[in-house]
PDB file of all heavy atoms in Angstrom:
ATOM      1  N   TYR A  52       2.972  51.236   2.000  1.00  0.00           N
ATOM      2  CA  TYR A  52       4.289  50.964   2.582  1.00  0.00           C
ATOM      3  C   TYR A  52       4.554  51.912   3.725  1.00  0.00           C
ATOM      4  O   TYR A  52       3.843  52.894   3.919  1.00  0.00           O
ATOM      5  CB  TYR A  52       5.380  51.099   1.494  1.00  0.00           C
ATOM      6  CG  TYR A  52       5.570  52.496   0.959  1.00  0.00           C
ATOM      7  CD1 TYR A  52       6.628  53.305   1.390  1.00  0.00           C
ATOM      8  CD2 TYR A  52       4.690  53.030   0.009  1.00  0.00           C
ATOM      9  CE1 TYR A  52       6.807  54.579   0.901  1.00  0.00           C
ATOM     10  CE2 TYR A  52       4.860  54.317  -0.484  1.00  0.00           C
ATOM     11  CZ  TYR A  52       5.914  55.091  -0.037  1.00  0.00           C
ATOM     12  OH  TYR A  52       6.073  56.361  -0.522  1.00  0.00           O
ATOM     13  N   GLU A  53       5.552  51.554   4.523  1.00  0.00           N
ATOM     14  CA  GLU A  53       6.041  52.509   5.517  1.00  0.00           C
ATOM     15  C   GLU A  53       7.550  52.553   5.446  1.00  0.00           C
ATOM     16  O   GLU A  53       8.204  51.597   5.005  1.00  0.00           O
ATOM     17  CB  GLU A  53       5.533  52.180   6.928  1.00  0.00           C
ATOM     18  CG  GLU A  53       6.062  50.916   7.573  1.00  0.00           C
ATOM     19  CD  GLU A  53       5.450  50.681   8.978  1.00  0.00           C
ATOM     20  OE1 GLU A  53       4.258  50.967   9.170  1.00  0.00           O
ATOM     21  OE2 GLU A  53       6.171  50.181   9.852  1.00  0.00           O
ATOM     22  N   THR A  54       8.105  53.679   5.844  1.00  0.00           N
ATOM     23  CA  THR A  54       9.561  53.830   5.879  1.00  0.00           C
ATOM     24  C   THR A  54       9.969  54.331   7.254  1.00  0.00           C
ATOM     25  O   THR A  54       9.175  54.961   7.949  1.00  0.00           O
ATOM     26  CB  THR A  54      10.077  54.828   4.822  1.00  0.00           C
ATOM     27  OG1 THR A  54       9.621  56.139   5.163  1.00  0.00           O
ATOM     28  CG2 THR A  54       9.571  54.475   3.428  1.00  0.00           C
ATOM     29  N   HIS A  55      11.187  54.012   7.612  1.00  0.00           N
ATOM     30  CA  HIS A  55      11.740  54.477   8.885  1.00  0.00           C
ATOM     31  C   HIS A  55      13.196  54.844   8.661  1.00  0.00           C
ATOM     32  O   HIS A  55      13.873  54.228   7.834  1.00  0.00           O
ATOM     33  CB  HIS A  55      11.612  53.389   9.949  1.00  0.00           C
ATOM     34  CG  HIS A  55      10.185  53.015  10.206  1.00  0.00           C
ATOM     35  ND1 HIS A  55       9.369  53.715  11.045  1.00  0.00           N
ATOM     36  CD2 HIS A  55       9.411  52.042   9.656  1.00  0.00           C
ATOM     37  CE1 HIS A  55       8.144  53.167  11.035  1.00  0.00           C
ATOM     38  NE2 HIS A  55       8.149  52.161  10.190  1.00  0.00           N
ATOM     39  N   GLY A  56      13.670  55.821   9.409  1.00  0.00           N
ATOM     40  CA  GLY A  56      15.029  56.297   9.215  1.00  0.00           C
ATOM     41  C   GLY A  56      15.077  57.265   8.039  1.00  0.00           C
ATOM     42  O   GLY A  56      14.039  57.650   7.489  1.00  0.00           O
ATOM     43  N   CYS A  57      16.286  57.681   7.673  1.00  0.00           N
ATOM     44  CA  CYS A  57      16.447  58.713   6.648  1.00  0.00           C
ATOM     45  C   CYS A  57      17.230  58.167   5.451  1.00  0.00           C
ATOM     46  O   CYS A  57      18.277  57.529   5.623  1.00  0.00           O
ATOM     47  CB  CYS A  57      17.204  59.916   7.215  1.00  0.00           C
ATOM     48  SG  CYS A  57      16.269  60.745   8.498  1.00  0.00           S
ATOM     49  N   LEU A  58      16.713  58.474   4.284  1.00  0.00           N
ATOM     50  CA  LEU A  58      17.450  58.136   3.068  1.00  0.00           C
ATOM     51  C   LEU A  58      18.568  59.161   2.910  1.00  0.00           C
ATOM     52  O   LEU A  58      18.327  60.379   2.978  1.00  0.00           O
ATOM     53  CB  LEU A  58      16.497  58.188   1.870  1.00  0.00           C
ATOM     54  CG  LEU A  58      17.037  57.706   0.523  1.00  0.00           C
ATOM     55  CD1 LEU A  58      17.455  56.239   0.586  1.00  0.00           C
ATOM     56  CD2 LEU A  58      15.991  57.921  -0.568  1.00  0.00           C
ATOM     57  N   ASN A  59      19.803  58.695   2.742  1.00  0.00           N
ATOM     58  CA  ASN A  59      20.912  59.641   2.613  1.00  0.00           C
ATOM     59  C   ASN A  59      20.945  60.260   1.211  1.00  0.00           C
ATOM     60  O   ASN A  59      20.175  59.863   0.318  1.00  0.00           O
ATOM     61  CB  ASN A  59      22.248  58.972   2.990  1.00  0.00           C
ATOM     62  CG  ASN A  59      22.606  57.827   2.042  1.00  0.00           C
ATOM     63  OD1 ASN A  59      22.019  57.695   0.966  1.00  0.00           O
ATOM     64  ND2 ASN A  59      23.559  56.990   2.460  1.00  0.00           N
ATOM     65  N   ALA A  60      21.830  61.223   1.049  1.00  0.00           N
ATOM     66  CA  ALA A  60      21.864  61.968  -0.210  1.00  0.00           C
ATOM     67  C   ALA A  60      22.237  61.069  -1.384  1.00  0.00           C
ATOM     68  O   ALA A  60      21.705  61.213  -2.489  1.00  0.00           O
ATOM     69  CB  ALA A  60      22.860  63.134  -0.091  1.00  0.00           C
ATOM     70  N   ALA A  61      23.110  60.106  -1.123  1.00  0.00           N
ATOM     71  CA  ALA A  61      23.520  59.179  -2.185  1.00  0.00           C
ATOM     72  C   ALA A  61      22.442  58.137  -2.462  1.00  0.00           C
ATOM     73  O   ALA A  61      22.546  57.365  -3.424  1.00  0.00           O
ATOM     74  CB  ALA A  61      24.825  58.488  -1.796  1.00  0.00           C
ATOM     75  N   LYS A  62      21.430  58.132  -1.609  1.00  0.00           N
ATOM     76  CA  LYS A  62      20.341  57.150  -1.735  1.00  0.00           C
ATOM     77  C   LYS A  62      20.866  55.711  -1.807  1.00  0.00           C
ATOM     78  O   LYS A  62      20.357  54.896  -2.567  1.00  0.00           O
ATOM     79  CB  LYS A  62      19.475  57.463  -2.970  1.00  0.00           C
ATOM     80  CG  LYS A  62      18.762  58.814  -2.853  1.00  0.00           C
ATOM     81  CD  LYS A  62      17.691  59.006  -3.908  1.00  0.00           C
ATOM     82  CE  LYS A  62      16.893  60.281  -3.617  1.00  0.00           C
ATOM     83  NZ  LYS A  62      15.758  60.460  -4.504  1.00  0.00           N
ATOM     84  N   ASP A  63      21.884  55.446  -1.012  1.00  0.00           N
ATOM     85  CA  ASP A  63      22.455  54.103  -1.045  1.00  0.00           C
ATOM     86  C   ASP A  63      22.391  53.405   0.320  1.00  0.00           C
ATOM     87  O   ASP A  63      23.107  52.425   0.559  1.00  0.00           O
ATOM     88  CB  ASP A  63      23.905  54.133  -1.555  1.00  0.00           C
ATOM     89  CG  ASP A  63      24.830  54.900  -0.632  1.00  0.00           C
ATOM     90  OD1 ASP A  63      24.360  55.400   0.433  1.00  0.00           O
ATOM     91  OD2 ASP A  63      26.035  55.008  -0.956  1.00  0.00           O
ATOM     92  N   ASN A  64      21.573  53.925   1.229  1.00  0.00           N
ATOM     93  CA  ASN A  64      21.484  53.293   2.545  1.00  0.00           C
ATOM     94  C   ASN A  64      20.098  52.681   2.815  1.00  0.00           C
ATOM     95  O   ASN A  64      19.678  52.555   3.959  1.00  0.00           O
ATOM     96  CB  ASN A  64      21.832  54.305   3.657  1.00  0.00           C
ATOM     97  CG  ASN A  64      20.736  55.343   3.831  1.00  0.00           C
ATOM     98  OD1 ASN A  64      20.044  55.673   2.860  1.00  0.00           O
ATOM     99  ND2 ASN A  64      20.558  55.849   5.053  1.00  0.00           N
ATOM    100  N   ALA A  65      19.400  52.293   1.748  1.00  0.00           N
ATOM    101  CA  ALA A  65      18.045  51.745   1.926  1.00  0.00           C
ATOM    102  C   ALA A  65      18.073  50.232   2.095  1.00  0.00           C
ATOM    103  O   ALA A  65      18.840  49.530   1.438  1.00  0.00           O
ATOM    104  CB  ALA A  65      17.177  52.125   0.728  1.00  0.00           C
ATOM    105  N   ILE A  66      17.229  49.766   2.984  1.00  0.00           N
ATOM    106  CA  ILE A  66      17.022  48.320   3.152  1.00  0.00           C
ATOM    107  C   ILE A  66      15.543  48.027   2.934  1.00  0.00           C
ATOM    108  O   ILE A  66      14.683  48.629   3.586  1.00  0.00           O
ATOM    109  CB  ILE A  66      17.461  47.849   4.556  1.00  0.00           C
ATOM    110  CG1 ILE A  66      18.962  48.034   4.744  1.00  0.00           C
ATOM    111  CG2 ILE A  66      17.066  46.388   4.773  1.00  0.00           C
ATOM    112  CD1 ILE A  66      19.475  47.621   6.130  1.00  0.00           C
ATOM    113  N   LEU A  67      15.263  47.133   2.024  1.00  0.00           N
ATOM    114  CA  LEU A  67      13.881  46.703   1.781  1.00  0.00           C
ATOM    115  C   LEU A  67      13.621  45.447   2.597  1.00  0.00           C
ATOM    116  O   LEU A  67      14.353  44.458   2.476  1.00  0.00           O
ATOM    117  CB  LEU A  67      13.670  46.410   0.293  1.00  0.00           C
ATOM    118  CG  LEU A  67      12.299  45.835  -0.087  1.00  0.00           C
ATOM    119  CD1 LEU A  67      11.188  46.879   0.094  1.00  0.00           C
ATOM    120  CD2 LEU A  67      12.310  45.327  -1.543  1.00  0.00           C
ATOM    121  N   ILE A  68      12.588  45.502   3.416  1.00  0.00           N
ATOM    122  CA  ILE A  68      12.180  44.322   4.188  1.00  0.00           C
ATOM    123  C   ILE A  68      10.924  43.739   3.542  1.00  0.00           C
ATOM    124  O   ILE A  68       9.940  44.461   3.309  1.00  0.00           O
ATOM    125  CB  ILE A  68      11.899  44.696   5.658  1.00  0.00           C
ATOM    126  CG1 ILE A  68      13.180  45.209   6.317  1.00  0.00           C
ATOM    127  CG2 ILE A  68      11.327  43.511   6.419  1.00  0.00           C
ATOM    128  CD1 ILE A  68      12.989  45.704   7.743  1.00  0.00           C
TER     129      ILE A  68
END
Side-chain angles (χ1 to χ4, degrees):
Chain A
Y52 66 101
E53 68 181 37
T54 67
H55 299 277
C57 295
L58 187 61
N59 64 14
K62 296 192 172 186
D63 64 1
N64 71 330
I66 295 179
L67 175 69
I68 297 176

